[in-house]
Amino acid sequence: MKTPDILRRIELSPPQLAFMSAWCNEILYGGAAGGGKSFIQVFEALWYAIEYPGSKQIIFRKTFPELEKSIVRQSLVLYPQKPYAKYNSTKHYWEFYNGSIIEFGYLQRENDCYLYQGAEYDVVRFDEGTHFTYHSVNYLKSRIRGPYKVPRALKISTNPGNVGHMWVKNRFVDPAPPLHFFTGADKTRRIFIPAKVTDNFALMENDPDYIRNLDSLADENERKMLRDGDWDVAAGAFFSEFDRRFHVREPFDFKKHKDVKLYRSIDYGLDMLACYWYAVFPKTSVNPNGSVFVYRELCAPDLTISEAARRIREATPADENIICTYAPPDVLKNRDRVTGRNQGDIFAQNGLSLTESNNDRKTGWIAVKEFLKLREGGRPILKIFSTCITLIKHLPMLIHDDKNYGDVKTEPHLITHSPDSLRYFCIQWHLTNPIKEAEEAVRRVVYPPDMLVDYRRASPRERADIERVMGGKPKLR
């Protein structure tokens, strides 16, 4: 049977051609909005199905409505039907004359990936890949297998942002320049193919106002990601205050300083123990809120309570006088499923006494934000030793819960343990030692209206620059 005309008459952009010709284990395509990401996934799946008889592919979106309105709808317009193929609208897959299959799927919850246990695919595709957690994508990657000798791959198309932003960036964008093949630590060959809205010839011709619409986005980070494909910003980042330049520092010997008080906090579960140590410096006239340094971390999975207590005690030198170890109420009150005893009692019996912290999530996250906030002189209260690798990595990965904006999204769950442990310390310290703004010592200046608008939209560092130019903070109105 001759090749369908659609494969000959579609004009592709250079990035789309690169996507089709880049044969390697894993491919990331995209960046800016309007780069033709969904189209090239659907089109290349068609080409692959015809080129490799009997092949099996699947294209994922996060939810069924997203899948139906984008991928399914596009395939119904693009794919040739009889005698080449037919679409099963009940089971959501295309079956081709040569035995090839293209399925459509969605993973609304992280663990929905296990619905595909036992499945086999030659190509697994994720459209808007940053909407998925690493766990889901990595599990579905294990479904790439089969008895026939055909090229197999994981193919992701996406914009920056959302829950998967950091793992996609770390896996594809940071290791090598765009359009360069590289081999990851797991021996997989990868490539990142960037695409911008200007690469989409059809969109530029049919909707010239599209770029102006992107320019009009109010959120600067969202504008950078969707218009420019900028991976160095994260839309919806909960802790926009976090900046490595101000919040991460190299370790130093804090024990020689007088009046330093030491604390710990834990978040415990069988899936992960996250324990942190804090050095709290006293308040001074120059630094009215004092300083807190997170100086040690212990993150380990699959520990019983006795093992967790032992590991924490072993990690604490004998010359460190820990005042207390904060823990959430559930750790102190819940009973162990094996012994039926209170978890807090078991910790105490193993040499680790716990102090109950407050578990009000919204108030706790506000307390963390207060600790991260840049104050006079560009100093935050909280600084983290560079050796606390997990906390530094996971804290900026948290994003707003779109259904509860004052809270963080709890998926992927793995990245929440370290920030939760930090939250238990920050909220308890904030409630017992209120943070003072010392407003009376801050000079207030009347800003012009346009400058005041710029100030309100500015980042912490940009605000500091504006304050220097204007001679003080804006006068309250």
Side-chain angles (χ1 to χ4, degrees):
M1 187 175 290
K2 68 177 184 177
T3 303
D5 291 339
I6 191 70
L7 292 180
R8 290 193 293 265
R9 57 183 172 83
I10 291 292
E11 182 182 9
L12 300 177
S13 68
Q16 289 173 330
L17 289 170
F19 178 76
M20 291 193 66
S21 60
W23 290 112
C24 58
N25 305 107
E26 300 179 13
I27 302 171
L28 173 66
Y29 178 88
K37 301 179 298 299
S38 300
F39 173 84
I40 194 58
Q41 286 277 30
V42 173
F43 181 79
E44 205 236 5
L46 170 63
W47 174 85
Y48 187 98
I50 294 172
E51 182 73 12
Y52 299 101
S55 61
K56 291 189 67 178
Q57 303 175 78
I58 188 166
I59 307 176
F60 285 104
R61 282 295 298 260
K62 183 67 174 178
T63 67
F64 180 72
E66 291 171 342
L67 183 71
E68 189 174 39
K69 292 176 182 178
S70 60
I71 301 299
V72 173
R73 188 174 296 175
Q74 203 157 47
S75 74
L76 290 170
V77 173
L78 189 64
Y79 287 7
Q81 300 202 28
K82 292 181 179 180
Y84 294 101
K86 61 180 179 180
Y87 181 62
N88 187 318
S89 59
T90 302
K91 297 185 177 180
H92 312 297
Y93 70 86
W94 282 90
E95 184 175 6
F96 290 79
Y97 68 93
N98 62 3
S100 292
I101 298 290
I102 299 176
E103 290 183 30
F104 301 131
Y106 60 97
L107 304 171
Q108 192 157 354
R109 295 176 296 272
E110 186 175 36
N111 288 337
D112 284 349
C113 60
Y114 296 119
L115 298 174
Y116 295 87
Q117 187 176 12
E120 292 186 354
Y121 300 102
D122 299 302
V123 181
V124 172
R125 303 174 185 271
F126 286 88
D127 190 38
E128 296 300 349
T130 54
H131 289 198
F132 302 89
T133 66
Y134 173 75
H135 172 78
S136 295
V137 175
N138 193 51
Y139 182 83
L140 267 301
K141 182 189 169 189
S142 71
R143 305 300 91 196
I144 301 176
R145 55 186 181 172
Y148 305 112
K149 191 173 182 180
V150 297
R152 296 186 174 89
L154 170 69
K155 300 196 173 187
I156 300 172
S157 52
T158 194
N159 300 319
N162 218 289
V163 67
H165 177 95
M166 290 304 298
W167 79 257
V168 173
K169 183 175 185 286
N170 292 338
R171 191 171 185 85
F172 292 96
V173 181
D174 290 343
L179 300 174
H180 283 68
F181 292 99
F182 66 95
T183 302
D186 57 358
K187 306 302 181 184
T188 59
R189 184 171 165 83
R190 304 186 189 114
I191 190 172
F192 165 47
I193 302 170
K196 295 188 176 181
V197 62
T198 50
D199 297 320
N200 191 334
F201 307 138
L203 182 62
M204 289 294 93
E205 181 178 348
N206 298 321
D207 189 2
D209 290 332
Y210 188 75
I211 292 182
R212 284 195 289 273
N213 293 335
L214 294 177
D215 288 336
S216 68
L217 290 169
D219 185 271
E220 182 182 3
N221 283 352
E222 191 173 21
R223 192 164 60 247
K224 286 180 178 180
M225 286 185 299
L226 296 182
R227 182 192 62 195
D228 306 326
D230 190 340
W231 285 88
D232 290 326
V233 295
F238 194 89
F239 292 111
S240 57
E241 300 86 354
F242 182 80
D243 189 322
R244 287 172 181 263
R245 295 170 298 174
F246 302 107
H247 295 105
V248 179
R249 65 157 299 164
E250 293 303 310
F252 65 93
D253 184 10
F254 58 84
K255 295 178 184 178
K256 64 182 181 182
H257 293 266
K258 289 184 178 181
D259 302 321
V260 175
K261 297 180 179 180
L262 306 183
Y263 296 82
R264 284 183 302 227
S265 68
I266 69 165
D267 182 55
Y268 172 76
L270 278 177
D271 57 337
M272 183 63 66
L273 163 71
C275 182
Y276 287 91
W277 285 253
Y278 307 86
V280 179
F281 284 70
K283 301 174 182 180
T284 65
S285 58
V286 177
N287 190 9
N289 289 299
S291 295
V292 176
F293 292 87
V294 186
Y295 67 89
R296 184 182 297 126
E297 78 174 2
L298 170 61
C299 294
D302 301 321
L303 298 179
T304 64
I305 294 176
S306 60
E307 290 170 334
R310 176 181 58 79
R311 291 282 298 274
I312 294 170
R313 286 189 287 102
E314 289 176 350
T316 306
D319 64 344
E320 290 186 8
N321 179 27
I322 305 297
I323 294 175
C324 68
T325 303
Y326 292 118
D330 61 321
V331 169
L332 287 155
K333 296 174 181 177
N334 286 358
R335 298 192 175 277
D336 185 85
R337 283 180 287 183
V338 177
T339 65
R341 292 184 294 169
N342 180 285
Q343 291 186 0
D345 291 341
I346 300 174
F347 269 108
Q349 290 164 8
N350 285 275
L352 190 71
S353 296
L354 302 178
T355 299
E356 182 176 337
S357 182
N358 187 298
N359 199 22
D360 184 322
R361 293 179 63 84
K362 290 185 179 181
T363 304
W365 295 131
I366 290 173
V368 177
K369 281 178 168 288
E370 287 287 350
F371 272 72
L372 294 174
K373 177 182 175 181
L374 296 186
R375 299 176 186 278
E376 293 304 306
R379 292 191 302 266
I381 296 174
L382 183 79
K383 303 178 187 70
I384 306 170
F385 278 13
S386 60
T387 48
C388 299
I389 298 171
T390 304
L391 181 60
I392 294 168
K393 179 180 179 182
H394 289 174
L395 195 62
M397 292 174 70
L398 295 178
I399 65 174
H400 285 276
D401 186 333
D402 49 10
K403 296 180 180 178
N404 188 4
Y405 197 75
D407 201 356
V408 302
K409 191 182 285 287
T410 56
E411 288 186 357
H413 186 60
L414 177 65
I415 70 173
T416 64
H417 297 289
S418 292
D420 277 337
S421 183
L422 175 65
R423 172 166 60 88
Y424 302 137
F425 169 82
C426 289
I427 186 173
Q428 203 61 29
W429 187 256
H430 183 52
L431 291 174
T432 54
N433 298 271
I435 293 172
K436 297 179 180 179
E437 291 293 347
E439 293 289 351
E440 66 279 2
V442 179
R443 185 183 175 193
R444 295 281 173 176
V445 179
V446 176
Y447 282 25
D450 57 343
M451 182 66 78
L452 190 59
V453 171
D454 290 343
Y455 182 85
R456 287 170 176 164
R457 293 177 176 175
S459 67
R461 186 167 187 178
E462 290 169 339
R463 286 190 175 188
D465 291 338
I466 294 172
E467 289 166 13
R468 282 194 293 271
V469 172
M470 297 301 296
K473 290 181 176 293
K475 191 171 184 178
L476 301 176
R477 298 184 178 184

